[in-house]
Amino acid sequence: MKKTLSAVVLCCTLISGSALAHGDHGVISGQKAISIAAKSVTQMTFKDFGFEVGKLDESWKDLTPEKFSVVSVEEEFYVVSASNSDAAKQVFFKIANNGQVLGVKAKNDF
């Protein structure tokens, strides 16, 4: 029983940690924050990761790099925007200095 529970906990940790948490990067650059946001947008078209914006529709998959930009650099995180002209929407990513995605919202109120 103890081994089974440990295996379940390990699997849950690996699955939740690999999807949007990129916490093993060390201190990242603004360009790396944009890269993480771009990868996260694609992942969010397949699954709702529990962020405010929920699951994004298929039109978000095809965003070009020009559609992403660093909006602000704070002491402990970056705010990166992604613009989707097809959906006439914009989402904002709060990405920690270590690369972990902390939040995704439709409004930049981080």
Side-chain angles (χ1 to χ4, degrees), residues 22-67:
H22 298 83
D24 59 341
H25 289 272
V27 177
I28 63 168
S29 65
Q31 189 59 42
K32 186 63 179 177
I34 288 173
S35 174
I36 292 167
K39 183 176 179 181
S40 298
V41 160
T42 302
Q43 292 175 337
M44 291 175 69
T45 64
F46 297 105
K47 183 178 178 184
D48 181 345
F49 288 95
F51 296 117
E52 183 179 292
V53 296
K55 182 180 174 190
L56 300 173
D57 68 52
E58 294 288 315
S59 68
W60 288 90
K61 274 199 246 183
D62 299 321
L63 295 186
T64 60
E66 299 81 36
K67 298 294 185 174

